[in-house]
Amino acid sequence: MKTPDKKPLNGKIALVTGSSRGIGRATAIALARAGAFTFINYVRNEDAARETLEIVESHGGRGSLLSFDVSDSDAVQDAIKGITEEKERIDILVNNAGITLDGIFVRTKPEEWNSLIDINLKGVFNCCRSAIRYMMKQRWGRIINMTSVVAISGNAGQVCYSASKAGIVGLTKSLARELGSRNICINAVAPGFIETDMTASIGEKNREKVIDQIPLGRTGTPDDIAGIVAFLASGKADYITGQVIHVNGGLYM
């Protein structure tokens, strides 16, 4: 019997955007533990990003910090070009960077909408566009885009956020159709209510209301998401593309 590979991503090069904290941090750690050399992206909080790298290294993984703004197409292109010059390839891209905007739709300012779309949707476009050029030459690549349960279910007070995340679903499915022949698998993960800094401000009363709607009776953790991302990046998911994997404890079915 063949011994299971304890490091299924050995030799792979990964980039996780927005990986200084939360889901991005957990994902970077999971990929590195699986053997991938992982680039940890951040914009401003270098201390938090460095903490992610220290955790990666404490688990025997390898990685490097990489600062750029996903909404800046030139910066993204330069960063990914730098990865390929240093490592000669890029195998795994996790588009995790994002911001939220909660509030009544009619009070949303155009500049707020533009900022949200620039990071949440244009950022995914920028990173995919740059990375895919190299993945096509390699004829191998894995892209995992972070969407949200509200992209599918909708949610009052999150019209703009839901729209940006729904755009990621369409982008994922269409790209998967375009690039399947090049052995590039592209999937999305749709987290439900996950305990992160982004959800910490919801308040205990609202948190309890959400938990009441979750059949598993608890909120999720960043590790719940990171495990799925690591699976989609691995050889065990070679026949999965164009899918949205819901990780929400049954909040949406």
Side-chain angles (χ1 to χ4, degrees):
M1 181 180 293
K2 185 178 179 181
T3 303
D5 186 359
K6 294 182 180 180
K7 299 281 188 179
L9 299 180
N10 263 341
K12 302 299 184 185
I13 306 301
L15 166 63
V16 183
T17 67
S19 46
S20 63
R21 58 198 176 104
I23 291 172
R25 169 179 284 185
T27 297
I29 294 168
L31 294 179
R33 291 185 73 175
F37 186 99
T38 304
F39 284 89
I40 298 161
N41 163 252
Y42 68 99
V43 178
R44 286 177 293 274
N45 197 340
E46 182 177 347
D47 289 342
R50 192 165 299 281
E51 187 175 305
T52 301
L53 180 59
E54 289 172 357
I55 297 171
V56 162
E57 292 174 341
S58 73
H59 287 293
R62 297 180 303 135
S64 182
L65 302 185
L66 189 59
S67 178
F68 64 87
D69 183 343
V70 297
S71 68
D72 184 333
S73 58
D74 289 338
V76 170
Q77 187 171 325
D78 289 345
I80 292 179
K81 181 181 179 181
I83 290 174
T84 60
E85 288 176 346
E86 178 183 341
K87 298 297 182 181
E88 299 184 343
R89 60 189 299 115
I90 179 169
D91 301 292
I92 301 160
L93 168 64
V94 182
N95 284 305
N96 170 76
I99 60 173
T100 188
L101 174 63
D102 297 346
I104 298 172
F105 177 69
V106 295
R107 294 181 182 172
T108 303
K109 299 175 182 178
E111 56 268 29
E112 292 177 320
W113 165 266
N114 291 338
S115 177
L116 188 80
I117 293 298
D118 277 351
I119 295 173
N120 290 9
L121 187 53
K122 181 185 173 186
V124 176
F125 165 82
N126 287 338
C127 292
C128 285
R129 183 170 177 268
S130 293
I132 281 169
R133 294 177 178 179
Y134 301 100
M135 291 179 176
M136 288 175 68
K137 293 177 182 177
Q138 298 165 187
R139 298 192 70 83
W140 199 97
R142 298 293 179 264
I143 298 177
I144 300 99
N145 298 321
M146 208 62 64
T147 180
S148 170
V149 61
V150 299
I152 310 300
S153 67
N155 192 37
Q158 288 191 308
V159 172
C160 299
Y161 180 74
S162 299
S164 70
K165 291 297 187 177
I168 291 173
V169 173
L171 182 150
T172 297
K173 290 178 176 290
S174 296
L175 267 184
R177 289 189 179 276
E178 281 192 22
L179 298 169
S181 64
R182 299 298 185 98
N183 199 28
I184 300 173
C185 294
I186 304 174
N187 293 288
V189 175
F193 191 95
I194 307 299
E195 294 286 358
T196 65
D197 292 348
M198 192 177 286
T199 59
S201 62
I202 190 175
E204 189 59 31
K205 187 176 181 179
N206 289 328
R207 183 175 178 277
E208 289 175 1
K209 286 181 180 179
V210 174
I211 293 175
D212 286 343
Q213 300 175 55
I214 301 174
L216 289 185
R218 69 171 179 87
T219 56
T221 69
D223 286 338
D224 290 325
I225 307 302
I228 297 299
V229 175
F231 165 74
L232 290 172
S234 75
K236 293 181 179 180
D238 280 351
Y239 202 55
I240 301 175
T241 195
Q243 303 304 307
V244 180
I245 311 300
H246 292 273
V247 188
N248 58 42
L251 177 63
Y252 173 85
M253 298 185 186

